[in-house]
Amino acid sequence: MQTKFSPAQLADANIADANGILRACMHCGFCIATCPTYVLTGNELDSPRGRIYQIKDMLENERVPSARTVTHIDRCLSCLSCMTTCPSGVNYMHLVDHGRSYIEEHHARPPLERLLRAALAAVLPRPGLFRLAMIGARAARPFARVLPAPLAAMLSLGPPALPSRSPVDRPRVFAVEGERRMRVALLTGCVQTVLEPAINEATIRLLTRHGCEVVVAKRAGCCGAITHHLGRDGPARSSIRRNVAVWTSEIERGGLDAVVVNASGCGTMIKDYGFILRDEPEWAERAGRIAGLTRDVTEVLAGLGLANPVIETGQRVAYHSACSMQHGQKITAAPKALLGAAGFQVLDVPEGHLCCGSAGTYNMLQPRIAGTLRERKLANIRSVDPELVATGNLGCMVQLGRGLAVPLVHTAELLDWATGGPRPPALNIP
Ligand code: SF4
Ligand code: SF4
């Protein structure tokens, strides 16, 4: 694609990167067919190629983004299905990330939208605040019908009851069982610690059983993805710097072989830390080092080899591959191979490349499209008639969980159960 940025514009590192990305696009349109929003609306402006044109126009002409452009960029799920399809290696993720932060800086959103986005950015990354918000949401649920759609969607996503706090989320070192093979830091996350603490508990048991000493580092917290995808560059960078500093100290203290992540949305984000902080000389190298150490829990397990199962499993498990797992991190085979090695019968979900509509805060900000994608995903899952559903991302679990007649669990919980851990709590619910 031809671009016409001036030399002055190209002096800005973000514009120089955007220029390189835009020039890689050949307009071929292969990405259109695999874009969930284009599949639903049939509108070129809701396709990757259409969004690329809109971002190009906005940046080249230094335009104040129009309401129309903002609508189509906001509708993008950042699912990155287009990046898997693109034959030309267009880094759509970096382009849309920059487009979102440009919009945040140059576009005045309506007051209610501004308030909602500010509330999400302030509350979700802070587990204490988020827990309080969830308690408040339960009280407000009877009034959901009279609230604006995004607020009603937010209320509907909360669980019927909040699990109690887990002791594993407090900073400490979990000793290895048997011979030590790795020393790893685990990101326990923000929202996950409140909604599904059982995932971190299962991950720690699984890792220590497989020879990993696990560090939950003091002050490590939200990976920054929530604010980053809302276009809030400043808060996202603060989260990143904090985590980079914490894990770098841990490397200096006892060495780290990996930073392990069990929410694929966070994994995609942390693997990009080096790029995001590339323009901060005092942080860039350390951020790149942390990004290079980051692994999904299934990548670590695949490298170590799964211990022999100690129970007979055999259930038919539909594996839902989160977009951030398959498109963001390109991890496709390992989770299924591990579930197979644990004795489960793994089923592929039709249209597996299409997003379930969760996409971070998307299901709250774009409830109509998110709801349609959710119903489509649920129908595809039901079509393979599973006994269980497994996935590696909390956001997908929240989005799909209550629409299924069968339990939906994290992949790590199933692997933990098969190799000696307790039965996942979701399987105990009649
Ligand atoms: S990230 Fe997903 S929704 Fe956005 S343009 Fe690409 S395929 Fe479409
Ligand atoms: S598939 Fe890649 S090169 Fe083709 S239009 Fe889409 S982004 Fe551009």
Side-chain angles (χ1 to χ4, degrees):
M1 179 180 288
Q2 274 195 336
T3 56
K4 291 181 193 147
F5 290 104
S6 69
Q9 286 175 307
L10 290 170
D12 176 336
N14 284 315
I15 296 296
D17 284 326
N19 183 49
I21 297 167
L22 291 164
R23 285 182 167 239
C25 177
M26 316 177 290
H27 324 247
C28 64
F30 286 177
C31 52
I32 288 176
T34 60
C35 171
T37 52
Y38 181 80
V39 167
L40 292 189
T41 70
N43 182 346
E44 168 87 17
L45 295 174
D46 286 324
S47 77
R49 188 173 63 182
R51 293 187 177 109
I52 288 170
Y53 278 120
Q54 291 170 88
I55 295 171
K56 173 183 182 291
D57 177 62
M58 186 172 76
L59 297 180
E60 248 178 14
N61 298 301
E62 297 178 358
R63 278 193 215 290
V64 172
S66 68
R68 192 172 83 140
T69 299
V70 174
T71 296
H72 296 296
I73 304 299
D74 280 356
R75 281 186 191 162
C76 170
L77 295 131
S78 282
C79 69
L80 310 181
S81 173
C82 47
M83 284 181 66
T84 298
T85 312
C86 177
S88 187
V90 172
N91 195 322
Y92 177 84
M93 176 172 82
H94 289 161
L95 187 68
V96 80
D97 283 351
H98 180 58
R100 290 191 203 282
S101 92
Y102 182 91
I103 287 171
E104 192 63 18
E105 223 175 291
H106 296 92
H107 173 74
R109 293 180 182 274
L112 181 63
E113 213 177 298
R114 274 213 304 274
L115 190 69
L116 185 64
R117 293 170 73 93
L120 291 172
V123 173
L124 295 181
R126 296 179 175 84
L129 263 185
F130 180 58
R131 182 174 284 279
L132 284 178
M134 281 288 100
I135 294 166
R138 281 177 62 199
R141 211 164 282 155
F143 310 105
R145 279 202 193 154
V146 296
L147 292 173
L151 289 179
M154 229 183 260
L155 296 183
S156 74
L157 290 168
L162 270 191
S164 32
R165 282 193 183 86
S166 170
V168 306
D169 294 327
R170 292 195 201 109
R172 61 183 268 203
V173 177
F174 293 85
V176 70
E177 283 179 29
E179 188 196 343
R180 187 171 108 174
R181 300 163 77 190
M182 293 177 82
R183 185 172 191 269
V184 304
L186 175 69
L187 173 84
T188 51
C190 47
V191 171
Q192 182 161 290
T193 59
V194 178
L195 294 184
E196 290 286 350
I199 297 172
N200 288 335
E201 291 169 3
T203 303
I204 290 167
R205 283 191 301 266
L206 186 63
L207 289 170
T208 52
R209 188 179 305 126
H210 285 81
C212 300
E213 182 175 283
V214 179
V215 181
V216 175
K218 196 172 174 184
R219 289 187 61 246
C222 174
C223 66
I226 291 167
T227 44
H228 184 62
H229 292 141
L230 288 167
R232 296 178 175 237
D233 202 36
R237 283 173 186 258
S238 299
S239 298
I240 297 172
R241 287 190 214 104
R242 186 205 54 230
N243 284 344
V244 168
V246 163
W247 289 325
T248 302
S249 302
E250 211 44 64
I251 293 172
E252 287 158 2
R253 188 172 304 126
L256 281 181
D257 298 303
V259 172
V260 179
V261 184
N262 58 12
S264 58
C266 308
T268 303
M269 176 74 185
I270 301 175
K271 287 180 177 181
D272 207 34
Y273 273 8
F275 177 82
I276 298 170
L277 294 194
R278 69 197 183 290
D279 54 355
E280 298 189 37
E282 70 278 34
W283 288 97
E285 193 190 329
R286 280 181 286 166
R289 188 175 184 195
I290 296 300
L293 276 178
T294 301
R295 301 279 180 279
D296 184 74
V297 59
T298 55
E299 289 182 286
V300 173
L301 261 292
L304 292 171
L306 192 75
N308 288 332
V310 297
I311 55 164
E312 281 224 2
T313 50
Q315 285 94 338
R316 292 162 51 80
V317 176
Y319 174 67
H320 163 64
S321 187
C323 297
S324 43
M325 189 75 85
Q326 59 172 318
H327 303 307
Q329 298 186 63
K330 304 281 182 268
I331 301 171
T332 50
K336 292 194 282 184
L338 288 165
L339 287 168
F344 296 100
Q345 190 186 333
V346 183
L347 311 167
D348 284 323
V349 176
E351 292 191 330
H353 64 286
L354 286 184
C355 183
C356 67
S358 166
T361 55
Y362 191 93
N363 48 6
M364 291 171 263
L365 296 171
Q366 300 285 336
R368 195 177 51 81
I369 297 177
T372 308
L373 288 171
R374 175 178 181 268
E375 292 312 312
R376 189 165 177 145
K377 183 63 72 183
L378 289 171
N380 277 317
I381 290 173
R382 289 187 199 110
S383 74
V384 297
D385 192 23
E387 293 167 80
L388 303 171
V389 182
T391 191
N393 192 44
L394 175 75
C396 309
M397 293 173 73
V398 172
Q399 173 78 346
L400 299 173
R402 278 188 287 142
L404 290 163
V406 296
L408 194 164
V409 286
H410 194 283
T411 309
E413 291 183 278
L414 289 184
L415 299 179
D416 174 48
W417 179 38
T419 57
R423 197 176 157 87
L427 271 56
N428 295 327
I429 297 168

